Amino acid sequence: MSPALPEETPVPPELPTVAPQLRALRRRAALTLEAAARAAGLSPAHLSRLETGQRQPSLPMLLALARIYGTTVSELLGETPADRDAVVRSRAMEATEAGGWTYFQAGSPGRGMQALRVHVPYGSQGDIVRVHPGEEWLYVLEGRLRLRLGDTSYQLDPGDSAHFDSLTPHRIAAADRAGAELLFVHTLLQTPTAALCLGPAAGPVREV
């Protein structure tokens, strides 16, 4: 079970009111107030205040509710998505480097998930442990990867994948000097690649 989310978290003033959407999406998901609140780690009273506009949710709370209701944060916010191409051609993928890693956008921008192809060089950021809201999924294309989740270490070979809650302290490193190639999907509200790569971090730990 994911840790309970804080009930009273200040939010930026520009965040639009989500009350008109929250109740409709909960009912569309066929969830009672009590069931939805329990799944989100909230009290029914607090979720009711969100649905009536008496409280504004934090961004981690929006992520949790979007997952529970089977929708996106954009829909929770009542935003109308712009038309996007469903297909991303390899020739259109531009490389972005951050912290030694190389990222290629493998999905359309502005979605509830961000898809990337990532090259992880050997030794780069191997001591950084990250903890943040959201979920991550990765698939090893080439090379071998070292993945640490909490106190457990794994070696992933080509064809192996992992799917985990990002609130679990995690660390990713290439196991071979040639590095590793990954497909990577996350739900970090379109976090810039530099921030995705370098933080937030919980500090270095011993080698896997």
Side-chain angles (χ1 to χ4, degrees), residues 25-44:
L25 290 172
R26 174 174 61 79
R27 289 176 174 173
R28 188 181 75 181
L31 291 171
T32 65
L33 186 72
E34 291 75 14
R38 182 169 58 252
L42 302 172
S43 67

Side-chain angles (χ1 to χ4, degrees), residues 7 23 35 39 86 89 104-105 127-128 147 154 156 184 186 202:
E7 295 195 356
R23 180 170 295 171
R89 302 293 183 185
F104 297 86
Q105 289 286 348
D127 60 350
I128 294 180
L147 172 66
Y154 303 90
L156 277 66
F184 181 79
H186 72 90

Side-chain angles (χ1 to χ4, degrees), residues 98-141:
W101 293 18
T102 304
Y103 296 85
F104 297 86
Q105 289 286 348
S108 299
R111 298 285 190 180
M113 298 184 298
Q114 188 171 10
L116 303 164
R117 182 163 60 86
V118 185
H119 175 71
V120 181
Y122 182 77
S124 179
Q125 302 185 57
D127 60 350
I128 294 180
V129 178
R130 298 172 181 81
V131 181
H132 50 82
E135 292 184 18
E136 297 183 33
W137 175 87
L138 59 86
Y139 178 92
V140 182
L141 295 170

Side-chain angles (χ1 to χ4, degrees), residues 1-8 33-47 50 60-61 64-65 67-68:
M1 179 181 297
S2 298
L5 296 170
E7 295 195 356
E8 301 287 346
L33 186 72
E34 291 75 14
R38 182 169 58 252
L42 302 172
S43 67
H46 186 74
L47 182 55
L50 294 177
M61 196 179 297
L65 291 171
R67 285 193 220 111
I68 293 163

Side-chain angles (χ1 to χ4, degrees), residues 21-22 24-31 36 39 61-76 112-113 135 187:
Q21 297 293 109
L22 287 177
L25 290 172
R26 174 174 61 79
R27 289 176 174 173
R28 188 181 75 181
L31 291 171
M61 196 179 297
L62 285 174
L63 273 171
L65 291 171
R67 285 193 220 111
I68 293 163
Y69 297 161
T71 185
T72 65
V73 171
S74 294
E75 187 175 8
L76 282 179
M113 298 184 298
E135 292 184 18
T187 58

Side-chain angles (χ1 to χ4, degrees), residues 146-179:
R146 290 178 178 173
L147 172 66
R148 183 168 183 166
L149 296 176
D151 295 326
T152 305
S153 298
Y154 303 90
Q155 178 174 291
L156 277 66
D157 298 322
D160 292 342
S161 62
H163 188 173
F164 52 92
D165 190 319
S166 304
L167 286 173
T168 302
H170 54 284
R171 190 174 86 180
I172 296 171
D176 301 318
R177 293 194 177 277

